[in-house]
Amino acid sequence: MPAPPPPLNCPPGLEYLSQIDMILIHQQIELLEVLFSFESSNVYEIKNSFGQRIYFAAEDTNFCIRNCCGRSRPFTLRITDNVGREVITLERPLRCNCCCCPCCLQEIEIQAPPGVPVGYVTQNWHPCLTKFTIKNQKREDVLKISGPCIMCSCIAGVDFEITSLDEQIVVGRISKHWSGFLREAFTDADNFGIQFPRDLDVKMKAVMIGACFLIDYMFFERTR
């Protein structure tokens, strides 16, 4: 995707997000992971609705962390543009991944450019449903994310609604897409779509990308 003119006060590299209202995230299949059943670093292509690649994302973790901590693992995810410039960095600390432990819930920090936080996604405790809050760089609540009780993508997709703080207005959606029986059964290479208003602040669009990756690791990363 050719880079559009950057809007005012746009972090470098986020101009790609300024004129789109949908993002597709495709995780690449790792052959060694399928054959030998050990967890390798996740890599993704991030595309616009026309299938044009705008970013490439790669997990930066070591072998022990990936295979000992599984889906709960802390990670750094580096997102680069088409010329290899790192434009977004995602940092997930090690937290408890059990809904019975509300004192240390999941969180991810979104930086754009790297080293400059633009927002956070924090898990909210709920006994049944999946709940998150999208926060700005000052940790002020901006939006909510609500998901289903049961995370099952074995038949169809799974939707997570992005809503206003009172949860009355739906402003977007993160969707886990069905990838076909073989891909779903034998790999953890997932496909996601993110929908948001075209005129939404590019920083919040970047935070929604971070939310999508947190959801992927929490609920759709296979345990080995």
Side-chain angles (χ1 to χ4, degrees):
M1 174 182 172
L8 188 65
N9 297 323
C10 176
L14 297 194
E15 61 270 13
Y16 292 96
L17 302 178
S18 63
Q19 298 181 7
I20 59 177
D21 57 7
M22 176 181 287
I23 286 176
L24 304 174
I25 298 179
H26 296 155
Q27 184 175 354
Q28 297 183 0
I29 296 176
E30 298 294 329
L31 184 59
L32 291 177
E33 187 174 298
V34 176
L35 294 177
F36 299 105
S37 193
F38 63 78
E39 188 66 38
S40 58
S41 297
N42 291 350
V43 292
Y44 306 82
E45 284 191 314
I46 302 175
K47 303 177 181 181
N48 62 18
S49 58
F50 299 105
Q52 297 173 310
R53 194 175 85 176
I54 54 177
Y55 298 124
F56 182 83
E59 177 186 350
D60 184 3
T61 55
N62 63 49
F63 180 87
C64 291
I65 289 291
R66 290 193 303 272
N67 290 277
C68 292
C69 298
R71 65 177 61 180
S72 299
R73 64 185 181 266
F75 63 77
T76 298
L77 199 71
R78 305 188 188 281
I79 300 177
T80 57
D81 61 14
N82 288 323
V83 297
R85 174 183 56 168
E86 187 175 345
V87 295
I88 303 172
T89 302
L90 309 179
E91 296 279 359
R92 180 200 189 188
L94 180 63
R95 296 285 179 86
C96 178
N97 202 19
C98 176
C99 63
C100 299
C101 182
C103 60
C104 193
L105 298 176
Q106 295 293 312
E107 178 179 279
I108 193 166
E109 177 183 275
I110 297 86
Q111 304 170 4
V116 181
V118 294
Y120 303 84
V121 180
T122 59
Q123 183 185 12
N124 303 328
W125 186 83
H126 192 282
C128 299
L129 301 177
T130 305
K131 298 282 188 180
F132 298 92
T133 299
I134 293 176
K135 301 174 181 286
N136 63 17
Q137 67 271 25
K138 298 180 181 179
R139 290 188 174 271
E140 298 168 336
D141 295 354
V142 177
L143 295 167
K144 297 281 190 180
I145 299 176
S146 299
C149 178
I150 300 176
M151 299 296 166
C152 179
S153 59
C154 58
I155 299 176
V158 180
D159 290 330
F160 300 80
E161 290 190 339
I162 303 169
T163 66
S164 56
L165 291 177
D166 60 7
E167 301 188 23
Q168 299 301 307
I169 302 174
V170 177
V171 300
R173 182 172 289 108
I174 296 173
S175 300
K176 163 71 169 67
H177 295 158
W178 166 251
S179 303
F181 174 76
L182 291 178
R183 189 174 178 126
E184 294 285 348
F186 297 105
T187 78
D188 57 3
D190 299 313
N191 293 326
F192 287 86
I194 309 174
Q195 301 174 43
F196 40 63
R198 186 183 297 268
D199 59 353
L200 185 69
D201 185 350
V202 292
K203 295 178 183 179
M204 285 298 103
K205 293 181 181 181
V207 175
M208 289 183 185
I209 293 175
C212 182
F213 283 115
L214 180 60
I215 287 170
D216 181 30
Y217 277 83
M218 285 181 63
F219 303 114
F220 302 108
E221 188 78 359
R222 295 177 66 183
T223 56
R224 301 180 185 276

